[in-house]
Amino acid sequence: MKNGKLFGSIEGGGTKFICAVADEQNNILREIRIPTTLPQPTLAACAEFFLQAQRELGALTALGIACFGPLDPRPDSPSYGHILATPKLGWENADIVGFLKNALDTSLPIGFDTDVNGAVLAESLWGAGQGAHDLVYLTIGTGIGGGALVNGQLLHGYAHPEMGHIYLPRHESDLDFPGVCPFHGACMEGLASGPAIEARWQQKAASLPPDHPAWSLEAYYLAQGLMNICLTLAPQRIILGGGVMNQGFLFPMIRSELTRLLSGYVRLPEIEDMDRYVLPSSLAGIAGLYGGLALAHQAQL
Ligand code: ADP
Ligand code: ZN
């Protein structure tokens, strides 16, 4: 048994749930990957992992769950802790928080939010967003999703933002591409997610060379999206993660396109210093896991 607090984290994804237990310094003491099947077996395996870890290490102080959405993160809502309408088979209305509370300990503090809200909180506590109380994290991967910290609080409303689904002006060279979003066709996710790039160019995004026209089009769309987010939420910084942003050369392209689009309208040092305004995730690849830990830290308060 160790002294000090222990925090549990779940990164709930469409293909796998990653569970971890960490100490107060974020040292990962136990970790497991569980394939995402139906809710009952997936969540039962998560619960078993935490029960076993608690037998070995001691009781958790809090658990944080950073999960795919859409979901209900509002504690005062009847469907709090549930997944909402999702095309993912069997997961619609899945009561994630209820299941884990019952299986673990009904008095365990649990934080529950989207993967991207978890990531923005983790970046603000431990990553590229340190010092910012107004911050946006956007993932450009299989989908596009965004989380926001506003006045130091995670942004909720009717549920949580869905800023990946905003509409963008089409580039004149791209008018015939229908977009891949199953709901909106050519929204930002439909035009600029990894699968959108792959559908448009019929090639794996990772294998497109840096001088391929795919990337200037990608920077064009992402800068449009960032402009809308920047002007709507007025974040002090925007952090970009997700598989597509492994193409690091996109950062200078997006920054210069965003500067061009803003046309000097917002004259603030934070924004004019574009190299420090649009930043890569410093938790790349682990933003979900640390997102869960960040939500656990927040839940204990
Ligand atoms: P998810 O969004 O499912 O959590 P990722 O953020 O890793 O996962 O995004 C996966 C998508 O990102 C893939 O569908 C692919 O299109 C794209 N992708 C992954 N790696 C790269 C890469 N090195 N360069 C460009 N695109 C990539
Ligand atoms: Zn959409």
Side-chain angles (χ1 to χ4, degrees):
M1 297 281 175
K2 288 183 71 109
N3 295 321
K5 294 178 178 175
L6 291 172
F7 295 95
S9 165
I10 299 180
E11 174 188 1
T15 55
K16 59 186 180 305
F17 272 50
I18 302 179
C19 303
V21 174
D23 65 16
E24 281 174 90
Q25 285 75 43
N26 284 348
N27 297 305
I28 306 292
L29 306 174
R30 296 283 185 281
E31 185 173 342
I32 193 173
R33 286 158 187 259
I34 295 161
T36 308
T37 55
L38 289 170
Q40 205 283 337
T42 308
L43 297 172
C46 294
E48 184 46 44
F49 164 79
F50 288 112
L51 289 169
Q52 179 65 28
Q54 290 191 108
R55 281 192 288 272
E56 292 168 13
L57 301 167
L60 294 181
T61 299
L63 171 67
I65 307 165
C67 192
F68 69 86
L71 53 78
D72 189 341
R74 300 165 305 160
D76 57 350
S77 157
S79 53
Y80 168 67
H82 291 60
I83 300 287
L84 302 176
T86 174
K88 193 158 178 51
L89 194 70
W91 285 83
E92 185 161 336
N93 298 322
D95 180 5
I96 296 189
V97 172
F99 185 100
L100 291 166
K101 256 191 186 303
N102 285 332
L104 296 175
D105 173 357
T106 49
S107 66
L108 178 69
I110 296 186
F112 178 69
D113 217 313
T114 57
D115 40 13
V116 280
N117 262 349
V120 77
L121 191 61
E123 293 283 358
S124 80
L125 290 173
W126 305 308
Q130 284 177 64
H133 40 78
D134 289 272
L135 187 68
V136 165
Y137 177 94
L138 210 61
T139 179
I140 322 295
T142 308
I144 297 186
L149 204 64
V150 175
N151 288 333
Q153 301 290 317
L154 290 175
L155 181 61
H156 296 140
Y158 54 80
H160 49 78
E162 287 283 6
M163 50 185 113
H165 294 271
I166 56 179
Y167 278 109
L168 307 173
R170 302 291 290 266
H171 192 276
E172 59 185 17
S173 69
D174 193 43
L175 297 176
D176 294 334
F177 180 63
V180 301
C181 175
F183 296 94
H184 317 111
C187 64
M188 176 154 71
E189 176 171 306
L191 291 172
S193 60
I197 299 171
E198 295 178 354
R200 182 186 290 111
W201 303 101
Q202 301 287 304
Q203 255 187 78
K204 284 278 168 208
S207 66
L208 290 164
D211 59 356
H212 193 282
W215 299 120
S216 53
L217 188 65
E218 182 70 6
Y220 169 86
Y221 282 132
L222 293 179
Q224 302 268 2
L226 262 54
M227 163 133 166
N228 292 344
I229 290 164
C230 163
L231 296 179
T232 306
L233 293 175
Q236 295 164 294
R237 243 170 274 167
I238 299 176
I239 298 173
L240 302 180
V244 172
M245 297 315 299
N246 284 322
Q247 304 292 338
F249 57 79
L250 277 173
F251 281 90
M253 295 168 78
I254 293 167
R255 290 180 188 124
S256 63
E257 183 66 10
L258 179 57
T259 301
R260 190 185 70 74
L261 289 170
L262 287 168
S263 305
Y265 181 66
V266 186
R267 291 185 182 268
L268 291 170
E270 288 96 326
I271 290 195
E272 290 181 335
D273 187 1
M274 197 45 86
D275 288 348
R276 291 179 358 146
Y277 190 65
V278 177
L279 293 173
S281 164
S282 57
L283 303 174
I286 49 171
L289 192 62
Y290 281 83
L293 287 176
L295 293 169
H297 279 252
Q298 191 185 59
Q300 70 165 333
L301 300 176

